[in-house]
Amino acid sequence: MTGRAPAVADRPHVAELLRTLIRYDTTNPPGNERECAAYCRDVLNSVGIPAELMGNDPDRVNVISQLKGRGDAPPLLMYGHIDVVPTAAQPWDVPPFEGRLQGGYIWGRGALDMKGGVAMMMDAFMRAHLEDADLPGDVILALVTDEEAGGHTGAEWLVDAHPELFEGARYAVGEFGGFSKTYRGRKFYMVQVAEKQGCRVEAIARGPGGHGSLVHHDTAPTRMAQFLVKLDRTPLPFHIHPVTRMMVEAMSGSLPLPDSAFLKLLINPAFTGSMLRRMGTVGKEMEPLFRHTANATIINGGEKANVIPSEVTVNLDCRMLPGYDSEDLLGELQAIAGPDIEFRAVNFQPKPWIFNMGLFDTLAGIISEQDPEGVSVPMLMPAGTDGRHFAQLGIQTYGWMPMNLPANFDFLKTIHAANERVPVSALEFGAEALYRLLQRFHE
């Protein structure tokens, strides 16, 4: 589709901005984010904010803009991605790229991940310009491509090709976090301060090959099958990561007895596994925060139907806790598999673990102003975001797209799923929170 920026120097309502963003089908692959990026640029231009398109692929360009501050604080980076995951084979009740407003919600792919966050950022950014807000430092806005497939034409390219754009920045706000989650009657705002590292591992089983008409035992396929069963039934060892410890302690400190004592058992290694099992669905959501994960995704072996293959390989999608190396993970996998399986990390680039909590209290204070019942807690992201690219420049990302959500709204089950949607009130809440941040990020 083609979009037209407002003809007058006034920003569109955050909800209308999101509805238009959703109508651009930026499913990745292939992405094709150019028209959506051009619309964002034109909206910024229409209110008098210079913005430009940058990229190494004409169909996949990024939007870069900047507001000048008074220079009392280092620049603050706000970034979000405009590509979205596919909708194929999902049973949507509404067309996923219509941007429908229905029942107080905006429905469509990207409503949560993360065109909703982009709309909130743009709203705060334009408001700061139109109201001539007193910004403590420069504010950089980067709307990027390709986050859902690695960020190669987006954040990764910007960091590698144009690091000068982000010179001096220490903090960034982006995804994934800031949304409210109700647990045991208390509302917690989960602020991402760290994320797990991606690591692709190849598992290899070897054994005697031969003709398919004969009796064979202990072959490569059976050895691999036995390993996969072990991996399914044996969790990798639990680790109490510092960020996860901070999260559990902050949550338990806001709960009454006996809930607080129950939750705190999670960070006692002797009880971690049993407590996660007792917590049911919540425990399943939290388990990746306590250990590395490894899931089989691609299986290869054999070339002919009547020949027993002498080698079978399995691709393992692994996510490692921050601060660990691939050798740590391979050792844990080997301990489960035994000597019959060989492992090698084939796609692991160590990412710096930037951990600077200097902006956390400011973010928590803003949430307390807007929702006195809300408690902000640090969170470890079980997957990866573009934050890993900006960490190469020494920038600490806070996953902070603040959304005050209904207690019965399950963010994690709605994101990437059919009928992805976001309450209009949550967008307004987040846009206001981001605007307040732009005025005080020096604190």
Side-chain angles (χ1 to χ4, degrees), residues 129-442:
H129 170 73
L130 291 170
E131 298 183 6
D132 197 23
D134 185 21
L135 306 177
D138 295 350
V139 178
I140 306 161
L141 178 66
L143 308 180
V144 302
T145 64
D146 197 41
E147 189 277 340
E148 298 292 1
H152 305 302
T153 61
E156 183 179 59
W157 179 80
L158 286 169
V159 165
D160 290 343
H162 292 283
E164 74 280 357
L165 293 171
F166 314 103
E167 186 174 355
R170 295 176 56 204
Y171 301 125
V173 289
E175 64 174 354
F176 171 96
F179 57 91
S180 66
K181 185 173 182 63
T182 301
Y183 176 73
R184 308 300 287 182
R186 290 302 306 267
K187 187 186 295 182
F188 297 98
Y189 286 82
M190 318 303 292
V191 182
Q192 176 191 324
V193 298
E195 62 183 58
K196 295 180 82 172
Q197 307 173 89
C199 180
R200 187 164 68 88
V201 171
E202 198 172 68
I204 306 164
R206 296 185 177 89
H211 199 286
S213 64
L214 303 177
V215 175
H216 297 272
H217 298 286
D218 200 26
T219 63
T222 55
R223 289 178 178 178
M224 182 60 73
Q226 290 165 357
F227 162 64
L228 293 178
V229 170
K230 289 179 182 178
L231 185 64
D232 181 64
R233 296 177 178 175
T234 310
L236 293 169
F238 292 108
H239 304 281
I240 311 302
H241 193 274
V243 174
T244 306
R245 179 183 295 276
M246 291 172 63
M247 181 188 76
V248 171
E249 289 178 344
M251 292 179 69
S252 62
S254 300
L255 293 171
L257 289 170
D259 290 336
S260 59
F262 179 89
L263 191 64
K264 213 162 187 181
L265 286 174
L266 280 171
I267 54 177
N268 183 332
F271 297 100
T272 302
S274 60
M275 295 306 299
L276 289 170
R277 290 190 293 272
R278 290 184 61 183
M279 292 173 72
T281 301
V282 174
K284 290 181 179 179
E285 292 178 0
M286 296 182 69
E287 184 175 353
L289 310 183
F290 289 89
R291 64 180 181 90
H292 312 313
T293 59
N295 291 292
T297 56
I298 301 173
I299 301 176
N300 289 304
E303 296 181 0
K304 293 191 65 180
N306 63 345
V307 177
I308 305 298
S310 58
E311 182 174 299
V312 174
T313 63
V314 169
N315 180 89
L316 298 175
D317 179 7
C318 303
R319 309 300 172 103
M320 297 167 51
L321 294 165
Y324 287 82
D325 189 78
S326 59
E327 293 303 316
D328 301 315
L329 171 66
L330 297 184
E332 293 184 5
L333 290 170
Q334 200 74 66
I336 292 175
D340 289 337
I341 305 295
E342 175 188 337
F343 296 98
R344 61 180 179 218
V346 294
N347 186 17
F348 176 65
Q349 297 177 339
K351 301 297 181 183
W353 179 30
I354 305 297
F355 187 61
N356 184 339
M357 294 289 285
L359 197 61
F360 184 86
D361 288 346
T362 299
L363 304 180
I366 292 170
I367 291 297
S368 295
E369 292 171 3
Q370 292 184 234
D371 183 2
E373 296 181 357
V375 178
S376 294
V377 300
M379 178 187 76
L380 170 64
M381 170 69 166
T385 73
D386 279 333
R388 68 188 186 278
H389 300 304
F390 292 109
Q392 302 286 346
L393 302 178
I395 299 174
Q396 165 73 55
T397 287
Y398 290 86
W400 198 68
M401 294 293 98
M403 293 184 184
N404 187 349
L405 298 170
N408 61 353
F409 185 89
D410 195 323
F411 184 98
L412 295 177
K413 288 185 178 179
T414 309
I415 194 170
H416 285 198
N419 298 325
E420 184 179 349
R421 62 200 182 276
V422 63
V424 172
S425 60
L427 293 173
E428 295 170 336
F429 180 94
E432 173 64 26
L434 286 167
Y435 177 66
R436 295 186 187 190
L437 173 63
L438 298 190
Q439 296 174 290
R440 63 180 81 168
F441 60 84
H442 63 296

